[in-house]
Amino acid sequence: MTGDIRGLGEELLREIGLKEGFNNEEVIKWKSWLQSYSFCSDYTDDPYAWLTDVLALKSVDSGNYGVGSIIVDRDGETVAFGHNLMYSPSFRSDLHAEMVTLNYFEEKNPQITTLKDYTLYTSLESCPMCIIRLISAGINRVFHVSPDSIGGMADSINLMPPLWKELSEPQVFAKASCSYELSKAATAIMLINADELLEILRKRRL
């Protein structure tokens, strides 16, 4: 299982930084760090967390927010993955990483009517919009690699409107069991271009 995750992640990493004229030192630094990272057996979610970080870096490389996510089945197999696509190739306010991953999974598996045996991992704590989508999808467990104190909602489910709070009760929203280093990396990768992209959102209100 971990071999498959490593192989997929390495393939994705090889695609990063190939654009002509590319010179983002932060992306290059984190690409090298992720390539050299060894999974820590003390943390059950470490391989999955690493893969979301890889996808987050690929997201930055494509001109989007640095957030990645995956869906894993009951056997630990990665059955869907994606990253934020809000800004590139064109602006789509709905295409957060979790949305992209769920869209792919649902389109490919219309016969699946329950997600009680599935887990979604995301490199960054899910925002309110994505929390609603995750509750609607009914995915059993949602684990984030890095907390998001200014935009995340996973730790504030109790503040949801009554209906959504009730629907979420069978679900688990929690921090992934991963190394501190991977959590720190997820935050750092997200911050690479966050200010620049947030400014674009602010200008849409002018």
Side-chain angles (χ1 to χ4, degrees):
M1 179 270 292
T2 56
D4 292 340
I5 292 174
R6 174 65 72 174
L8 173 58
E10 291 289 355
E11 181 180 346
L12 292 168
L13 285 168
R14 284 193 292 271
E15 298 172 355
I16 293 174
L18 298 181
K19 297 175 185 174
E20 185 176 351
F22 177 86
N23 63 353
N24 190 315
E25 293 182 1
E26 282 293 298
V27 171
I28 294 170
K29 179 185 77 173
W30 285 109
K31 176 180 178 178
S32 177
W33 187 87
L34 288 164
Q35 286 173 323
S36 63
Y37 182 82
S38 297
F39 299 150
C40 182
S41 59
D42 292 338
Y43 301 100
T44 55
D45 297 328
D46 223 51
Y48 305 119
W50 175 81
L51 185 54
T52 68
D53 280 3
V54 170
L55 286 159
L57 191 64
K58 186 169 177 58
S59 188
V60 172
D61 187 51
S62 67
N64 294 290
Y65 275 125
V67 185
S69 72
I70 64 173
I71 294 176
V72 176
D73 66 16
R74 65 188 303 172
D75 298 318
E77 297 295 325
T78 302
V79 295
F81 62 88
H83 61 72
N84 187 286
L85 289 172
M86 271 188 69
Y87 297 90
S88 180
S90 61
F91 187 81
R92 281 287 304 271
S93 58
D94 60 321
L95 292 186
H96 289 199
E98 299 93 317
M99 297 287 198
V100 172
T101 305
L102 280 168
N103 287 348
Y104 175 86
F105 180 84
E106 291 173 354
E107 289 168 5
K108 293 293 183 180
N109 301 282
Q111 77 284 1
I112 295 178
T113 58
T114 176
L115 273 68
K116 65 182 180 65
D117 293 326
Y118 293 86
T119 302
L120 183 141
Y121 292 89
T122 177
S123 62
L124 186 69
E125 181 182 351
S126 299
C127 73
M129 177 177 74
C130 290
I131 288 290
I132 293 292
R133 175 71 185 277
L134 291 162
I135 294 173
S136 297
I139 195 159
N140 186 33
R141 302 187 302 170
V142 178
F143 294 133
H144 58 268
V145 177
S146 174
D148 183 1
S149 61
I150 63 172
M153 190 74 189
D155 286 338
S156 304
I157 298 293
N158 61 313
L159 300 179
M160 300 287 287
L163 174 62
W164 296 109
K165 185 177 177 181
E166 175 196 342
L167 288 171
S168 72
E169 287 177 359
Q171 296 171 278
V172 175
F173 293 88
K175 175 78 166 57
S177 173
C178 65
S179 71
Y180 170 76
E181 289 76 16
L182 281 177
S183 181
K184 183 179 178 181
T187 301
I189 290 168
M190 183 274 297
L191 290 173
I192 291 174
N193 61 355
D195 288 344
E196 171 190 346
L197 297 179
L198 185 56
E199 189 60 27
I200 294 174
L201 285 189
R202 290 193 174 106
K203 287 180 178 178
R204 292 180 71 87
R205 285 143 183 79
L206 300 179

